Amino acid sequence: MCGIFLELSCEKCSIVNDIDVLRRLKNRGPDHLQRKDFISEIGHHIVFVASVLWMQGPQMTLQPLENECGILLYNGDIFDESWDSRTSDTQIIMEKLSYDCDSQIDKVINVLKSLKGPFSLIYYCKVTNKLYFTRDRFGRNSLLIHKNSNSLVLSSVLGTQYENYEVPVSHISVLDLNTHKILLYTWKATDIVQQCNLSDWLKTLQLKQSLSDEDFTVEANIPWDIDGLEDTVSFIESVAKKTKCNVTIMKTLSQHPEIQTTINKIIYLLNKSIQKRLKRQPNLCRNCLKITEINCSHSAVGVLFSGGLDCTILALLADKYVPKNQSIDLLNVAFNKENPTYDVPDRITGRKSLEELRRLCPLRKWTFKEINVPKEELEEFQINVIADLIYPRQTILDESLGSALWFAARGQDHHSVSNCRVLFSGTGADELFGGYTRHRAVFKRLGWAGLCKELQLDWERIPYRNLARDNRVICDHGRQPRMPYLDEEFAEFVIHLKPWLKCFPSKHLGHGLGDKLMLRLVAYNIGLMEVSTFPKRALQFGSRVANKNEKVNGGLVFLRAAFVLLEVGGLHICTE
């Protein structure tokens, strides 16, 4: 993962000199940091900054990348099997963007639309004086935009001192620096191009970002029909009524032809997704990378590991593709914010899942890192670090999830700090397979048609909710988050499944079975007998970074502002 930053000004650029911003960029890409100053033909001052976390290609590609056509800032991972894995994805993208140095917008747009994988990207075309910037269509990587009276800034991360917005994933944005008009291209094959003033567009971003999940609606575009409803649904219900034994239910359901075919396809696609994400990386831990050691036997790969269904499936399947001499880190976080012990639900579940992994993969060294965070340390880093990373998100939920992910990704237990450079995350599984409590409530009220629409809504709004925030938080530790459930091919298949082939939240299949039923059947069929029936538990509650009685309010930004005011006033601050 890299940190990318661009500042555009008619005068002297200033934010690029902010030490805090540069430090956050460096955290994202600890292997290299470089700056490029450029003055356009009409006098614009443009500063490009990139930090690099080397992941693809036989050697590191330094950024910003420049040729006679343009300048590229790229942060991401392209998992396109048609691309040469021996060449850096950054270099391939630059070659495609610069082909014949063509000045036609459509050709550049088509290159960006063809990219498969998580990315954010800024490309300045010298020929046309146009600035292209976008995030991938799922919104897996962060890109923020800030504008003041002097300059325009695009950056992976900024902080609370600069009012900023997340660049939306709905369009590829093209800013004409000659006219200050912005063109917005959709990801669809046939573009509906919008044009507006930059200031008007920023006002629209501000309005959209203030919407809550309840206010955010999208047009459902996945066709709904009831083909197969009577046969498959009746079969599942009949099995559930005959026995209360979860193992028997799993075994019997797996024998149904349509269900069995779906299970096998999901296992195949998930294996493929994981393999792609492990193939394109140096297979070196941090220490061995520094000394260019070829035969690394340490943990180059880790898993954000609550011990739940989603992450344990990833850990088990990753065992096939990680070199057998390397260990795999399982990062398990716990807080004692209100309880005197670190034996929180996710710690207990994590240990149980670890035993199942050891049973299934006895030759693998699994390093279970118990990351214990005391209340005082949590509060200190929430104010001084995490508030800046989650911003412009600022609710209690953002604070809780951001904190849990930041400490987990830090990978520091009482013995050592993890040296892995790639971190697997189960992000996306709940949205794809119906893992939230509200899915059961919707089904109870509105049946299969209502559940289908709710699942579509969950998928459509996932880029607007948490992916960019999580990216900023995890990457602050110089690790590359990789999310196999959000692979384009995998997600496309699951999205178009009938809802009863994703989850079955009826009264006949309770919690720990009906929610994410298909993923539970996958776990059962790959040998995770116990994990397959673990109940869904939200990260903030399972790790005990939050409790269910906390209310959403102004969150960390308000807290930090109050802290600063007291500090400036010279008052003694008591945090108790």
Side-chain angles (χ1 to χ4, degrees), residues 74-89:
Y74 165 71
N75 162 35
D77 269 320
I78 300 303
F79 301 115
D80 191 325
E81 293 174 294
S82 68
W83 289 20
D84 186 353
S85 61
R86 298 167 296 179
T87 305
S88 162
D89 52 352

Side-chain angles (χ1 to χ4, degrees), residues 389-436:
L389 295 171
I390 67 172
Y391 190 78
R393 306 291 173 174
Q394 46 189 313
T395 68
I396 287 293
L397 180 61
D398 292 309
E399 170 192 356
S400 299
L401 290 172
S403 299
L405 284 172
W406 190 86
F407 281 102
R410 187 174 68 165
Q412 180 177 322
D413 63 12
H414 60 286
H415 295 298
S416 61
V417 178
S418 170
N419 280 312
C420 72
R421 301 176 74 247
V422 171
L423 262 185
F424 275 130
S425 164
T427 300
D430 286 318
E431 287 79 5
L432 285 170
F433 290 98
Y436 294 118

Side-chain angles (χ1 to χ4, degrees), residues 430-470:
D430 286 318
E431 287 79 5
L432 285 170
F433 290 98
Y436 294 118
T437 304
R438 66 172 176 274
H439 294 134
R440 190 172 290 273
V442 168
F443 177 77
K444 185 176 181 180
R445 287 187 294 110
L446 302 172
W448 289 113
L451 178 60
C452 183
K453 291 179 180 178
E454 184 69 17
L455 288 168
Q456 291 174 26
L457 176 60
D458 268 342
W459 178 251
E460 293 290 342
R461 70 186 176 193
I462 190 174
Y464 302 91
R465 295 180 62 198
N466 56 12
L467 295 184
R469 176 202 67 205
D470 294 353

Side-chain angles (χ1 to χ4, degrees), residues 244-284:
K244 297 299 180 183
C245 175
N246 288 340
V247 174
T248 302
I249 291 173
M250 294 278 194
K251 182 178 179 180
T252 308
L253 292 181
S254 298
Q255 295 169 354
H256 184 276
E258 184 181 23
I259 294 174
Q260 185 180 57
T261 300
T262 306
I263 292 169
N264 292 338
K265 182 69 172 180
I266 288 174
I267 292 174
Y268 166 75
L269 290 174
L270 193 53
N271 267 300
K272 186 177 178 181
S273 173
I274 290 170
Q275 185 179 27
K276 284 189 292 187
R277 282 156 177 75
L278 289 174
K279 180 181 179 181
R280 293 179 181 268
Q281 52 108 1
N283 266 331
L284 297 172

Side-chain angles (χ1 to χ4, degrees), residues 19 70 105 113 173 175 231 357 363 413 441 505 547 554 571:
I19 295 174
I105 293 180
K113 286 183 178 181
S173 305
L175 177 61
D231 173 48
L357 288 173
L363 300 181
D413 63 12
N547 66 65
L571 299 177

